Amino acid sequence: MSQDGGHQPLDSLRDGMDASAATNTALENTPLLFDRQSPGYTDLDNSVNTTKNRNSPGPSDSNGCRVISRHGHGAGEEHGDVDEAYHARQPNPRQEQRLNTTSPQASSAKHRLWDIISKRLVFLQRDESERSPLEKDLVRRLDVFLLTFGCISQVIKYLDQTNISSAYVSGMKEDLQLNGNELNYFLTFFSISYCLMLIPSQVIITYVRPSYWLPGLEIGWGLVTALIAFAQNAHQVYALRVLLGLFESSAWPGMMTLFMYWYTPLELAKRMGFYHSCQALGSMMSGALQVAVLESLEGRWGLRGWRWLFIINGLLTLLIGFTGFFLIPDYPRSPNPRCLKAPPQTFSSTSTPFPLRFGWLTPAHIQAAEDRLKRHGRTDSKKITWRAAKRTFRLWISYFIPALYVASVLAPYGYNYFNLFLKELKDKDGRPRWSVEQVNAIPIAGNGVNVVFVWIWAILSDLLQTRWTLLVAQGVIGLIPCIIMSIWTSHPDTTPVSAAYASYFMTYMSLGTAPLIISWLSDILPQDSEARTLIVGYSIAGVYAILTWSQVLIWPASQAPYYHYAWQISIVLWILVIIMCWMLNIIDVRILLPQRLAAKNRASRQGLLSPTETPDAESE
């Protein structure tokens, strides 16, 4: 089980374990934060070594295999003198160099020092014996097909979801005679339907194959997006935005749920981060596409450029949606038949080649995926019943994680109005500071910052196997621009506008919280797939439930660019995120982690965690 930034409670490793199990668990669940140099680490390491030396006098373990200690010696060799020498004296660099060249004890001390350092770094602990060539091939194929489809689909989804803002500032407002807060209501109607359909979609996806449900919804919202191009008034846009929210509701949570079944804790946050960063790529494409459309298609066939934007978005969505039928693998225990490639012995002269031609997973890959779930104490997908829903409803984590997720998403929400901020900025003569093309182009740089930092947070989370510290770091970074903007909006004449520009760009650095929170949820509930699926739905539904009314009250378009109290609310939310992450880490380390280790130890005794021997991947 991956560790989320806390130290290991010693009792959880000692109770109910033999020496071999305790050693394996300690190595797999080593604390990974640099700042937690607690005595527990040394005590744990010494207690494990002492127990192993006392219980294993010979060079072989109970299975007849030679036991090699973490220092490279046999289990029966003595290390007491080396440990005493290491703790009793700390030689200066010259003495240590001389001892390393002449003394075996100094060499062992050097290895021990390296062991102390390396056990904080998960990327120095890769156990290649648990990753067979077949498993590596499986992960590569998942990245090429599942992750790539998810990322492209997410780019298109977010482009379809946010192009309303680009269209609004590019002629839609004037053509449809929109005044006041219609833009807020466009987002509000979308959020209401998105929120209402999200949890039912998470339930449906456990009964209907994701390879049918997700692409079918994507084709639906592609058609709706294209229809917005022909809207003649605000009410028609309201109705189409409601349908768009219904169709898009399961895309992001559905794909995140699939990732939990196919990727391990050391792989999960990176993939979720790549997928989540595609929201920013979608926003970048929306602005860039709008600029290109305005320059090349404005007035073509009697249609304004903003209308062409919806038409092009809809056609792209339809194309990507059809590919999902062949690229989404469903679940390890019920894989998508269109993704399966039968082994050579199943072919015959009467076989129909079409169902097999597009397969990218072999039965050996599916078996490896199931073994990975067992090895990491995770369960495969289960149909969500009323009993499972009621059980999830009684879990405290079902409220804590959604509250944390909602706060982390809404705290930096002002970045969504960057283009409106640029549009409403006036110079001393009352003229707009930026042209329509510039209003659409400048936020592209901010989304580029978002992409880079989402990748950084996600990669660091998997490398260091910590979630909460990086969430707190994002909270601290997010606080700074909120404070600056609250000052600028209150004193725009005395505060330079360059501070506002810098604040908006800095806000994009703190948008990588979602992958870390969902990965943390997967770590906390590895054996409750129904609860994980529902809590992901609760979290996102909570965001959109609040957005249905908060945008009009907190970020009204009529107040742009000087919002009265929006940035002050963001400050409160960021402080709440920091406090909640600190609290959840304490609960996870002191209560939840010992429970997971005990469950993992029971699975280890049943032989579920040992790597399974699998044949090499079949060559294409």
Side-chain angles (χ1 to χ4, degrees):
M1 182 57 55
S2 61
Q3 167 64 351
D4 301 321
H7 65 276
Q8 299 284 351
L10 301 183
D11 294 339
S12 65
L13 296 178
R14 291 173 180 161
D15 294 344
M17 294 187 183
D18 53 26
S20 177
T23 303
N24 293 334
T25 307
L27 290 174
E28 293 175 4
N29 300 279
T30 308
L32 303 170
L33 288 188
F34 302 104
D35 57 343
R36 290 185 174 268
Q37 308 280 349
S38 66
Y41 296 139
T42 303
D43 295 342
L44 174 60
D45 192 64
N46 289 341
S47 65
V48 171
N49 287 332
T50 301
T51 305
K52 184 168 61 177
N53 290 336
R54 182 174 63 248
N55 295 338
S56 304
S60 301
D61 64 4
S62 59
N63 296 322
C65 299
R66 178 172 173 78
V67 178
I68 303 299
S69 74
R70 300 173 69 183
H71 305 294
H73 301 282
E77 297 177 19
E78 296 295 334
H79 296 282
D81 295 338
V82 177
D83 293 340
E84 292 177 2
Y86 179 80
H87 290 288
R89 51 182 180 166
Q90 297 293 333
N92 59 43
R94 292 185 179 180
Q95 292 174 332
E96 184 177 3
Q97 182 178 5
R98 185 171 63 251
L99 289 173
N100 287 340
T101 59
T102 59
S103 171
Q105 292 183 345
S107 178
S108 179
K110 179 181 178 181
H111 291 162
R112 179 179 177 82
L113 179 61
W114 171 248
D115 179 72
I116 294 174
I117 296 174
S118 64
K119 73 179 182 178
R120 269 71 171 176
L121 300 171
V122 71
F123 53 87
L124 297 177
Q125 295 182 350
R126 300 292 187 183
D127 188 358
E128 295 298 327
S129 65
E130 291 193 2
R131 292 176 57 85
S132 65
L134 176 62
E135 185 173 344
K136 295 177 183 178
D137 185 63
L138 169 64
V139 174
R140 284 193 296 267
R141 291 174 185 239
L142 290 172
D143 291 343
V144 170
F145 294 99
L146 174 61
L147 183 61
T148 300
F149 167 79
C151 289
I152 296 176
S153 176
Q154 181 67 5
V155 169
I156 301 300
K157 170 187 176 297
Y158 209 72
L159 194 154
D160 292 343
Q161 182 175 334
T162 60
N163 55 16
I164 193 74
S165 297
S166 297
Y168 184 85
V169 299
S170 303
M172 186 181 190
K173 177 180 179 181
E174 292 76 14
D175 290 350
L176 300 188
Q177 298 180 354
L178 304 178
N179 299 295
N181 296 320
E182 282 89 353
L183 176 61
N184 295 110
Y185 290 123
F186 291 159
L187 301 176
T188 297
F189 279 104
F190 174 88
S191 299
I192 291 174
S193 60
Y194 194 105
C195 176
L196 292 176
M197 188 61 184
L198 200 150
I199 295 178
S201 293
Q202 284 294 90
V203 176
I204 293 173
I205 204 174
T206 64
Y207 288 86
V208 179
R209 284 186 177 274
S211 58
Y212 288 124
W213 183 246
L214 297 180
L217 292 177
E218 188 157 357
I219 292 172
W221 88 62
L223 294 173
V224 172
T225 300
L227 289 175
I228 297 178
F230 304 98
Q232 300 299 318
N233 54 61
H235 292 88
Q236 294 177 3
V237 179
Y238 293 154
L240 292 172
R241 291 287 291 180
V242 169
L243 292 177
L244 191 65
L246 293 176
F247 284 122
E248 289 192 13
S249 59
S250 191
W252 194 93
M255 193 61 63
M256 283 289 199
T257 302
L258 282 180
F259 289 160
M260 295 184 194
Y261 296 114
W262 290 97
Y263 290 109
T264 67
L266 292 176
E267 305 160 351
L268 187 59
K270 288 192 294 292
R271 273 71 182 184
M272 286 186 172
F274 293 153
Y275 177 70
H276 184 70
S277 67
C278 292
Q279 293 185 355
L281 292 176
S283 295
M284 294 170 66
M285 285 187 60
S286 180
L289 184 60
Q290 184 65 48
V291 172
V293 167
L294 287 173
E295 294 178 352
S296 59
L297 296 179
E298 177 68 32
R300 184 70 59 90
W301 295 351
L303 296 178
R304 292 293 307 274
W306 67 267
R307 295 184 185 273
W308 278 110
L309 177 64
F310 290 109
I311 295 174
I312 294 173
N313 290 170
L315 294 177
L316 289 175
T317 304
L318 290 174
L319 177 63
I320 299 303
F322 279 111
T323 64
F325 293 113
F326 302 93
L327 299 180
I328 296 178
D330 294 336
Y331 303 110
R333 293 181 185 171
S334 56
N336 180 1
R338 294 173 298 279
C339 294
L340 290 179
K341 177 181 179 181
Q345 59 269 22
T346 64
F347 287 94
S348 65
S349 58
T350 60
S351 298
T352 303
F354 178 78
L356 307 174
R357 186 174 300 169
F358 300 99
W360 53 275
L361 287 175
T362 66
H365 289 121
I366 300 302
Q367 183 61 49
E370 293 186 22
D371 293 339
R372 281 154 57 91
L373 289 176
K374 295 177 182 179
R375 191 167 69 238
H376 292 277
R378 277 160 166 71
T379 56
D380 203 345
S381 174
K382 298 178 182 178
K383 294 181 179 179
I384 297 177
T385 62
W386 280 111
R387 181 178 180 182
K390 289 187 291 185
R391 185 187 72 248
T392 303
F393 189 77
R394 291 193 294 265
L395 295 175
W396 66 270
I397 200 72
S398 299
Y399 304 93
F400 196 98
I401 289 291
L404 175 61
Y405 185 88
V406 169
S408 68
V409 171
L410 297 184
Y413 203 75
Y415 83 95
N416 283 284
Y417 301 100
F418 191 17
N419 56 357
L420 187 59
F421 162 81
L422 296 171
K423 180 180 176 65
E424 297 299 331
L425 274 181
K426 311 293 183 187
D427 58 19
K428 295 181 179 179
D429 298 329
R431 295 175 299 184
R433 292 196 180 192
W434 306 101
S435 65
V436 173
E437 291 79 7
Q438 290 171 327
V439 168
N440 285 285
I442 292 176
I444 295 176
N447 287 304
V449 174
N450 181 11
V451 171
V452 172
F453 274 88
V454 168
W455 289 356
I456 289 175
W457 299 123
I459 292 173
L460 287 178
S461 178
D462 277 349
L463 288 179
L464 305 179
Q465 279 296 279
T466 178
R467 319 295 188 200
W468 81 280
T469 48
L470 300 178
L471 288 169
V472 170
Q474 291 184 67
V476 173
I477 293 174
L479 271 174
I480 298 174
C482 293
I483 294 173
I484 295 175
M485 287 303 298
S486 64
I487 297 174
W488 182 81
T489 54
S490 301
H491 308 282
D493 297 331
T494 58
T495 306
V497 70
S498 58
Y501 293 137
S503 296
Y504 269 102
F505 282 107
M506 192 173 183
T507 301
Y508 285 95
M509 299 168 59
S510 60
L511 301 180
T513 57
L516 303 188
I517 294 175
I518 302 301
S519 298
W520 201 353
L521 170 64
S522 180
D523 297 338
I524 291 174
L525 296 176
Q527 296 181 335
D528 197 339
S529 59
E530 303 102 310
R532 291 201 310 263
T533 302
L534 287 174
I535 292 174
V536 170
Y538 295 163
S539 301
I540 305 170
V543 170
Y544 283 92
I546 295 178
L547 289 178
T548 57
W549 54 268
S550 65
Q551 294 181 96
V552 178
L553 296 179
I554 300 175
W555 301 97
S558 57
Q559 293 183 7
Y562 307 106
Y563 300 101
H564 296 164
Y565 42 79
W567 295 105
Q568 290 83 349
I569 294 177
S570 294
I571 293 174
V572 174
L573 290 175
W574 275 127
I575 294 175
L576 179 63
V577 168
I578 294 173
I579 294 175
M580 293 185 71
C581 289
W582 173 73
M583 292 174 58
L584 184 57
N585 177 66
I586 293 177
I587 296 172
D588 188 20
V589 171
R590 296 184 180 180
I591 301 175
L592 303 181
L593 179 61
Q595 297 174 358
R596 297 199 299 270
L597 291 178
K600 190 172 184 179
N601 184 41
R602 289 193 298 269
S604 178
R605 291 182 174 182
Q606 297 172 3
L608 296 178
L609 298 183
S610 59
T612 302
E613 295 294 331
T614 53
D616 291 339
E618 180 185 355
S619 59
E620 292 289 335

